[in-house]
mmCIF file of all heavy atoms in Angstrom:
data_model
loop_
_atom_site.group_PDB
_atom_site.id
_atom_site.type_symbol
_atom_site.label_atom_id
_atom_site.label_comp_id
_atom_site.label_asym_id
_atom_site.label_seq_id
_atom_site.Cartn_x
_atom_site.Cartn_y
_atom_site.Cartn_z
ATOM 1 N N SER V 191 -0.490 -49.295 -172.015
ATOM 2 C CA SER V 191 -1.643 -49.296 -171.292
ATOM 3 C C SER V 191 -1.921 -50.761 -170.828
ATOM 4 O O SER V 191 -1.963 -51.578 -171.520
ATOM 5 C CB SER V 191 -2.898 -48.800 -172.214
ATOM 6 O OG SER V 191 -4.126 -49.202 -171.575
ATOM 7 N N VAL V 192 -1.950 -50.840 -169.519
ATOM 8 C CA VAL V 192 -2.062 -52.126 -168.868
ATOM 9 C C VAL V 192 -2.993 -51.963 -167.700
ATOM 10 O O VAL V 192 -3.216 -50.832 -167.184
ATOM 11 C CB VAL V 192 -0.693 -52.861 -168.447
ATOM 12 C CG1 VAL V 192 0.016 -53.371 -169.578
ATOM 13 C CG2 VAL V 192 0.129 -51.833 -167.594
ATOM 14 N N ASN V 193 -3.491 -53.198 -167.190
ATOM 15 C CA ASN V 193 -4.189 -52.927 -165.904
ATOM 16 C C ASN V 193 -3.341 -53.326 -164.746
ATOM 17 O O ASN V 193 -2.201 -53.555 -164.966
ATOM 18 C CB ASN V 193 -5.460 -53.856 -165.828
ATOM 19 C CG ASN V 193 -5.272 -55.257 -165.850
ATOM 20 O OD1 ASN V 193 -4.233 -55.789 -165.207
ATOM 21 N ND2 ASN V 193 -6.167 -56.175 -166.363
ATOM 22 N N ASP V 194 -3.799 -53.071 -163.419
ATOM 23 C CA ASP V 194 -2.872 -53.077 -162.367
ATOM 24 C C ASP V 194 -2.313 -54.543 -162.178
ATOM 25 O O ASP V 194 -1.105 -54.555 -161.950
ATOM 26 C CB ASP V 194 -3.697 -52.687 -161.044
ATOM 27 C CG ASP V 194 -4.984 -53.358 -160.849
ATOM 28 O OD1 ASP V 194 -5.564 -54.090 -161.761
ATOM 29 O OD2 ASP V 194 -5.819 -52.964 -159.953
ATOM 30 N N SER V 195 -3.177 -55.523 -162.288
ATOM 31 C CA SER V 195 -2.568 -56.954 -162.172
ATOM 32 C C SER V 195 -1.453 -57.111 -163.213
ATOM 33 O O SER V 195 -0.446 -57.926 -163.035
ATOM 34 C CB SER V 195 -3.549 -58.023 -162.099
ATOM 35 O OG SER V 195 -4.204 -58.083 -163.347
ATOM 36 N N GLU V 196 -1.706 -56.694 -164.520
ATOM 37 C CA GLU V 196 -0.744 -56.923 -165.581
ATOM 38 C C GLU V 196 0.493 -56.104 -165.297
ATOM 39 O O GLU V 196 1.628 -56.657 -165.480
ATOM 40 C CB GLU V 196 -1.297 -56.378 -166.898
ATOM 41 C CG GLU V 196 -2.393 -57.432 -167.341
ATOM 42 C CD GLU V 196 -3.426 -56.751 -168.393
ATOM 43 O OE1 GLU V 196 -3.320 -55.483 -168.611
ATOM 44 O OE2 GLU V 196 -4.263 -57.457 -168.933
ATOM 45 N N ALA V 197 0.495 -54.887 -164.722
ATOM 46 C CA ALA V 197 1.599 -54.182 -164.431
ATOM 47 C C ALA V 197 2.355 -54.832 -163.260
ATOM 48 O O ALA V 197 3.653 -54.851 -163.398
ATOM 49 C CB ALA V 197 1.156 -52.654 -163.922
ATOM 50 N N ARG V 198 1.749 -55.403 -162.384
ATOM 51 C CA ARG V 198 2.441 -56.226 -161.348
ATOM 52 C C ARG V 198 3.153 -57.351 -161.851
ATOM 53 O O ARG V 198 4.287 -57.708 -161.561
ATOM 54 C CB ARG V 198 1.449 -56.520 -160.227
ATOM 55 C CG ARG V 198 1.047 -55.306 -159.447
ATOM 56 C CD ARG V 198 0.065 -55.553 -158.360
ATOM 57 N NE ARG V 198 -0.132 -54.407 -157.510
ATOM 58 C CZ ARG V 198 -1.303 -53.939 -157.167
ATOM 59 N NH1 ARG V 198 -2.486 -54.647 -157.402
ATOM 60 N NH2 ARG V 198 -1.428 -52.887 -156.335
ATOM 61 N N GLN V 199 2.488 -58.140 -162.686
ATOM 62 C CA GLN V 199 2.992 -59.371 -163.322
ATOM 63 C C GLN V 199 4.220 -59.002 -164.272
ATOM 64 O O GLN V 199 5.278 -59.679 -164.171
ATOM 65 C CB GLN V 199 2.048 -60.084 -164.182
ATOM 66 C CG GLN V 199 2.373 -61.354 -164.739
ATOM 67 C CD GLN V 199 1.414 -62.248 -165.542
ATOM 68 O OE1 GLN V 199 0.310 -62.058 -165.295
ATOM 69 N NE2 GLN V 199 1.838 -63.241 -166.238
ATOM 70 N N LEU V 200 4.044 -57.944 -164.973
ATOM 71 C CA LEU V 200 5.120 -57.624 -165.926
ATOM 72 C C LEU V 200 6.466 -57.221 -165.196
ATOM 73 O O LEU V 200 7.479 -57.319 -165.674
ATOM 74 C CB LEU V 200 4.689 -56.421 -166.820
ATOM 75 C CG LEU V 200 5.488 -55.829 -167.974
ATOM 76 C CD1 LEU V 200 5.796 -57.009 -168.861
ATOM 77 C CD2 LEU V 200 4.912 -54.740 -168.626
ATOM 78 N N THR V 201 6.347 -56.674 -164.047
ATOM 79 C CA THR V 201 7.419 -56.018 -163.408
ATOM 80 C C THR V 201 7.854 -56.797 -162.077
ATOM 81 O O THR V 201 8.964 -56.492 -161.653
ATOM 82 C CB THR V 201 7.237 -54.584 -163.034
ATOM 83 O OG1 THR V 201 5.947 -54.533 -162.063
ATOM 84 C CG2 THR V 201 6.816 -53.675 -164.198
ATOM 85 N N GLY V 202 6.898 -57.650 -161.599
ATOM 86 C CA GLY V 202 7.349 -58.196 -160.433
ATOM 87 C C GLY V 202 7.337 -57.231 -159.217
ATOM 88 O O GLY V 202 7.677 -57.556 -157.933
ATOM 89 N N GLU V 203 6.565 -56.055 -159.407
ATOM 90 C CA GLU V 203 6.460 -55.099 -158.278
ATOM 91 C C GLU V 203 5.068 -55.022 -157.849
ATOM 92 O O GLU V 203 4.165 -54.793 -158.773
ATOM 93 C CB GLU V 203 6.924 -53.661 -158.753
ATOM 94 C CG GLU V 203 8.492 -53.613 -159.028
ATOM 95 C CD GLU V 203 9.283 -53.609 -157.729
ATOM 96 O OE1 GLU V 203 8.725 -53.449 -156.680
ATOM 97 O OE2 GLU V 203 10.552 -53.752 -157.883
ATOM 98 N N TYR V 204 4.807 -55.116 -156.560
ATOM 99 C CA TYR V 204 3.400 -54.939 -156.094
ATOM 100 C C TYR V 204 2.971 -53.352 -156.210
ATOM 101 O O TYR V 204 1.965 -53.010 -156.635
ATOM 102 C CB TYR V 204 3.242 -55.448 -154.710
ATOM 103 C CG TYR V 204 1.709 -55.472 -154.333
ATOM 104 C CD1 TYR V 204 0.979 -56.445 -154.751
ATOM 105 C CD2 TYR V 204 1.223 -54.292 -153.683
ATOM 106 C CE1 TYR V 204 -0.299 -56.521 -154.380
ATOM 107 C CE2 TYR V 204 -0.093 -54.431 -153.342
ATOM 108 C CZ TYR V 204 -0.886 -55.451 -153.675
ATOM 109 O OH TYR V 204 -2.259 -55.473 -153.371
#
Side-chain angles (χ1 to χ4, degrees):
Chain V
S191 161
V192 284
N193 70 32
D194 44 4
S195 66
E196 290 158 355
R198 287 174 174 140
Q199 181 175 347
L200 182 61
T201 61
E203 293 289 349
Y204 188 84

